[in-house]
Amino acid sequence: QVQLVESGGGLVQAGGSLRLSCAASGTISGINTMGWYRQPPGKQRELVATISTGGTTNYADSVKGRFTISRDNAKNTVYLQMSSLKPEDTAVYYCNYWTIWKRDGYWGQGTQVTVSS
C-alpha cells in the first residue's frame, strides 16, 4: 500500500555531488523510518542512512561526513545529499520505508549512481 518513487541518480566524476529524492505515497503511517540502502556491483545490499519521522538519523561509517539524509514529512519525501563522491560509492541506491505495520518494509525500484574515477 506504499509506493516509493526515486529520482536523482546518474553519472558523476569522483569528488562531485548528487542529490537523491524518494517520494512515498499511499497509506503512510505517522511514525515511520525512511532511508537509503545501496548495492554495489558484486556485493550485498548495505545501509547508507536512515531517518525517523522525528528526525533521528543513522549513517553508515563509510558515508559519515559526506552524505546527509533529510526528510520533508509534509511531502513524505526523503533526500540523500551526497558529496565528495568516490568510485566505491557506485551502486544501485534503494529507498526504504519501514513501519511497525509492515516490519519487512517497502522498497523502491532503485536508482543507479555511477562515480567515475
Side-chain angles (χ1 to χ4, degrees), residues 31-58:
I31 301 175
N32 63 71
T33 297
M34 297 184 70
W36 294 93
Y37 294 72
R38 67 187 182 187
Q39 187 167 18
K43 297 183 179 181
Q44 303 271 42
R45 187 175 299 185
E46 63 187 24
L47 169 74
V48 177
T50 62
I51 183 167
S52 72
T53 312
T56 301
T57 59
N58 183 42

Side-chain angles (χ1 to χ4, degrees), residues 82-101:
M82 305 184 293
S83 300
S84 301
L85 284 162
K86 306 173 181 179
E88 49 262 46
D89 294 319
T90 295
V92 178
Y93 284 69
Y94 295 92
C95 182
N96 175 263
Y97 168 96
W98 186 93
T99 176
I100 58 172
W101 304 108

Side-chain angles (χ1 to χ4, degrees), residues 52-67:
S52 72
T53 312
T56 301
T57 59
N58 183 42
Y59 293 91
D61 288 341
S62 60
V63 306
K64 287 181 179 177
R66 300 189 299 121
F67 293 8

Side-chain angles (χ1 to χ4, degrees), residues 66-85:
R66 300 189 299 121
F67 293 8
T68 301
I69 190 169
S70 61
R71 65 185 293 164
D72 184 335
N73 290 335
K75 296 181 178 179
N76 295 316
T77 299
V78 64
Y79 307 93
L80 185 68
Q81 178 65 50
M82 305 184 293
S83 300
S84 301
L85 284 162

